[in-house]
Amino acid sequence: MATAEAPRQAIDHVSYEDLYRRWEKGNWSAWDIDFARDRTDWQETFGDLERRAALWNYSMFFHGEDSVTDNLSPYIDAAPREEQVYFLTTQQVDEARHSVFFDRFMREVAGRGDGTTASTLEATRPELSWGFRKTFAKLDKVADELRRDRSIPNFARSIFMYHFLVEATLAQPGQHFIQGYCEERGVLPGFLEGMTNVSRDEQRHIGFGVKCLSDLYKQDPECADAVSDLLREVIPFITAVFVPPNWDRRYTEVFGSTIEEVYEQGMASLDQKLRAAGMPIEELPGPPPIPQDMTARERAERAIALLEAGYIGEKTGPPHKDPEKIGLLFDLMKRSIDTSATPNGGATIAWDFSDAEPWFIRIDNGNTEAKQGRLENADLVLRCRLEDWTDVIARRRDPRVAIATGKIRPRGSVKLLLRMGKLFGR
């Protein structure tokens, strides 16, 4: 993997002992932060929209920190090296401290809860997005699976879920977003101080994750398969985490950033961290669900277009039926196809939609194409509504249930139908 060699060599020079020393030098207290000025800014400087937007954003951080604190124990138990165990123990302390920091802000500044952490969590739970709930439910499941399976590939999969997806792809861009407007506007100095400390901790955690995944991959090449399979599974969820309530773009724009800018940072961060671990996205087994011929900004715009069209993310109504938008969906499907799952590397699949124009995909090892139109003599024909098919693609409906209930009616190659899960990365 020549393309990953330079950044991977850089991570080889980082040691677990150095990361631990950084933790000792960087300790801080969540209780020493003064929120007096923050209370004034919250009530007098922020308007109603700014308070709603900040509460939405900060609540996801609060619940995220609480979740990762609870989920770190199996990582500590599964770590194959003592140096990794020691660092992960410090990380659990960090995550608990972050939770205390957010809990204090929510109670003392935003006025949520009755004085207990449980009540503050409950009071802010309605702020959580669909994508957040799905992503952290998956984190819970990954942690539970790690308790039962401590193999190297499964530990690598778990590190990828926690340190790469939750911390590097979701949390880090959100931290930069918050720190940016607090610094620029000179508001919430206590919160800014805490977020700066949190961000410093997270950089250290992400550094550990990159180092650890790199070492695990050297030990067992099957780690790449575990990472690729998980990425394909969770990408519809993590992409939807930062969707604001009712798609109100003012939730980010009121603080000077567009949704696209926040997403762009997440896309770039994931790419950089995987490359540093020696596992570039484009070299993972099976085609990645993230276009590699686009810039991070173009990927962000594509993801948001798919979310707004209702093809991925939370279901809020029927999907868009504009041919150009459906074209984005089929382009995503085409890019995600694992040609090794098709007989002899080639096949044709047609979608006969009852509520939209028909489409088909011609799968070829070197020239897979997706086109609008009817294809005669396709190997497999799927009769369904566009709405039911997008529910399957977005992982809102189990395809087996959709077939059993007649939502999707297949005709043609049974062998190809049985391979559809592998074909589309399910």
Side-chain angles (χ1 to χ4, degrees), residues 239 247 249 258-265 267 290-291 294-309 312 325 328:
T239 305
W247 272 102
R249 287 174 169 268
T258 64
I259 300 175
E260 284 80 4
E261 288 168 340
V262 178
Y263 272 59
E264 179 182 359
Q265 289 187 37
M267 296 281 184
I290 301 174
M294 297 181 182
T295 65
R297 179 52 177 255
E298 289 170 336
R299 295 177 199 170
E301 292 172 346
R302 174 67 65 91
I304 291 169
L306 289 165
L307 285 164
E308 289 186 308
I312 58 176
K325 294 185 183 298
L328 295 179

Side-chain angles (χ1 to χ4, degrees), residues 345-366:
T348 52
I349 305 174
W351 284 261
D352 186 2
F353 293 126
S354 61
D355 56 347
E357 293 299 314
W359 278 75
F360 69 86
I361 292 181
R362 193 187 309 275
I363 304 169
D364 188 304
N365 274 331

Side-chain angles (χ1 to χ4, degrees), residues 25-47:
K25 293 178 180 178
N27 264 309
W28 56 282
S29 170
W31 285 103
D32 285 347
I33 293 174
D34 182 2
F35 286 130
R37 164 75 183 281
D38 297 60
R39 284 189 286 271
T40 300
D41 285 343
W42 187 262
Q43 295 298 330
E44 299 179 9
T45 303
F46 275 20

Side-chain angles (χ1 to χ4, degrees), residues 70 88 116 128 156 179 190 205 275 314 405:
D70 293 342
L88 285 167
T116 64
L128 306 181
Q179 289 173 263
H205 302 167
R275 197 169 298 279
E314 182 180 15
T405 57

